[in-house]
Amino acid sequence: MIELVGVSQTFRARGHAVEALRDITLEVSEGQFVAVIGRSGCGKSTLLRLMAGLLSPTAGRVLIAGKPVTGPRRDVAMMFQRPALLPWRSALDNVLLPVEMFGLSRATHRRRAEELLDTVGLTGFHKRLPHQLSGGMQQRVALCRALIQQPRVMLMDEPFSALDALSREELSGELQRIHKELSATTVFVTHSIQEAVLLADRVVVLSEHPGQVRRILDITVPQPRSLGFNAHLADVSHLIAELHGLLLNRPD
Amino acid sequence: MTVAVKARPAARSGSRFPAVWLPLVGAATAVALWWLVTVAFDIRPFFLPAPPDVVTSFLKNPGYMLRESWVTTYESLLGFGIATVCGLAVAVMLAAVRAIERATMPLFVALNSVPKVALAPLLVVWLGFGPKPKIVMVVLICFFPIVVATMAGLSSTPVELSELGRSLSASWWQMFVKVRMRWALPQVFVGLKVAISLAVVGAIVAEISNPGQGLGSVIVLSGSSADTPLAFASITLLALISVVLFYAIVGLERLLLPWAREITG
């Protein structure tokens, strides 16, 4: 579904070049959930923006569904670190924003928007303005806004990193469920090892300066996963420890 | 436990009551002090009239005073309205086309630094003695704060919203109408609040420099007849007009942008 072939990205800032990504080759098959993990400044957000068509690579190729990415696509939805809701719009109207931007009819998508809000537990909050919602609820609205595009690809840039630990785990659970139902190909950037292990089929570990693929780990622990006591607690802990080692011990 | 539960609502209603009445208590205290000073130091009304002298002066001819007040209010509001429409249009144009902004911004800055009061005699030469030069003065004085505030608002769109727009392939126009303009509104209101206070100043300055009708003319008249209580009555009415107009804008803002106070804190 998503293919990156020898992708490099160099930024120019005031004369000197900063190499953000070097020679990334990665394939994400249809319906897969891939977490990209790395320390801050390893270029993981840049990687996501390349897939979203918000940046074009300095070298290499980015393909989605077999076609080179030249700009943002309607079947690719993005979710950001911050909810990025319009403060004067109700939850429902925020969810309908992509519909308006695409020039589609609000009336025909209204039902679906309401259903989406209900599935993420926002029944009764459709008419609320963002400032009347908690951080977790705002991010749920943002999730619905991404889902109304009926995306084949979901790109998520540390979407839960601004939330408190409990809301974060709750939303992770919700995301697992939604991913299972809709099976959109998902790339999830995070710096949380636990989040990566809970959610992903594969975890891509990036090294920093410049960002390079350090290791790709397949996670075979059956879903749904949790950090609580269950039959796979040992496997989950083992994976967390392994990623911990990869991220904290420098190669040299 | 019961004490804490009972104390809460009482404290809350207690704190809401002064929020409304405290400004009035402040004003009443100031008037009382003024009165006290005139009595204590036995100041003659010609230098500083006591509050009752001012009220008497107003009551001598209330119809006349209210008519003149209306003239000043009308000039201020009309000028403010014209300045708002023009200011918003110009700011949008400047924000839309970079080249126009580059070409005209230095000119605007230069024009803005001209003290508008200095133009009052010229306006008489160009526009005669009626209400027209007064309205134009108000427009001139209100226009720039509105333009500057609106421009600032239009360029303050948060990065994440711009990025969201790009990821949705929103057109420039869609972004402008659905995001940038709406986001700019709280800032626009900052400009409007500055402008409405200046509007009354503009009207008065124009009336004083070119008397005919309006409270500014009454003040000029009171000066030539050494009627200090009349001047004070006019000034009190002016202050009232300013306060009412200012809070009308504040009320409009709360009505239209209930979200704005929440996100700016």
Side-chain angles (χ1 to χ4, degrees), chain B:
Chain B
M1 197 59 212
T2 30
V3 173
V5 170
K6 269 184 185 171
R8 252 195 189 169
R12 202 177 280 167
S13 66
S15 66
R16 207 175 282 164
F17 176 77
V20 179
W21 294 105
L22 270 180
L24 291 179
V25 171
T29 312
V31 171
L33 270 176
W34 162 22
W35 198 344
L36 190 71
V37 166
T38 55
V39 175
F41 299 100
D42 195 20
I43 300 173
R44 280 189 298 149
F46 173 70
F47 285 116
L48 180 63
D53 300 327
V54 176
V55 175
T56 317
S57 172
F58 171 76
L59 290 177
K60 246 190 262 170
N61 206 341
Y64 163 73
M65 291 302 277
L66 289 179
R67 259 198 318 279
E68 301 305 311
S69 301
W70 168 244
V71 171
T72 303
T73 311
Y74 165 79
E75 290 164 356
S76 306
L77 273 180
L78 187 60
F80 174 75
I82 295 172
T84 303
V85 172
C86 297
L88 289 179
V90 166
V92 166
M93 223 165 61
L94 290 178
V97 189
R98 260 285 144 75
I100 300 184
E101 188 195 337
R102 293 258 166 80
T104 53
M105 214 48 199
L107 184 68
F108 273 128
V109 172
L111 282 178
N112 191 29
S113 65
V114 173
K116 308 309 169 293
V117 184
L119 297 174
L122 283 172
L123 290 178
V124 181
V125 173
W126 293 331
L127 298 166
F129 294 98
K132 253 192 243 159
K134 283 91 170 178
I135 293 163
V136 170
M137 175 62 85
V138 175
V139 173
L140 285 176
I141 218 165
C142 292
F143 176 74
F144 294 102
I146 296 173
V147 173
V148 171
T150 308
M151 297 266 306
L154 286 173
S155 57
S156 71
T157 314
V159 188
E160 69 256 26
L161 289 185
S162 317
E163 200 161 41
L164 173 73
R166 283 211 298 141
S167 78
L168 295 174
S169 318
S171 67
W172 183 90
W173 179 248
Q174 280 178 322
M175 272 311 273
F176 193 78
V177 173
K178 288 188 196 292
V179 180
R180 280 180 78 191
M181 286 263 268
R182 295 298 294 269
W183 189 267
L185 283 181
Q187 295 259 40
V188 171
F189 267 94
V190 171
L192 291 182
K193 281 184 265 184
V194 172
I196 195 73
S197 319
L198 289 174
V200 182
V201 174
I204 289 300
V205 163
E207 284 168 2
I208 287 177
S209 75
N210 171 17
Q213 279 190 305
L215 287 173
S217 318
V218 179
I219 292 170
V220 173
L221 197 74
S222 71
S224 57
S225 58
D227 189 350
T228 316
L230 181 63
F232 267 76
S234 309
I235 291 165
T236 309
L237 285 170
L238 266 179
L240 277 177
I241 293 170
S242 288
V243 168
V244 169
L245 290 181
F246 181 81
Y247 280 102
I249 299 288
V250 171
L252 191 66
E253 180 185 13
R254 291 200 183 159
L255 194 72
L256 294 178
L257 315 173
W259 51 273
R261 280 208 301 168
E262 304 296 333
I263 59 166
T264 50

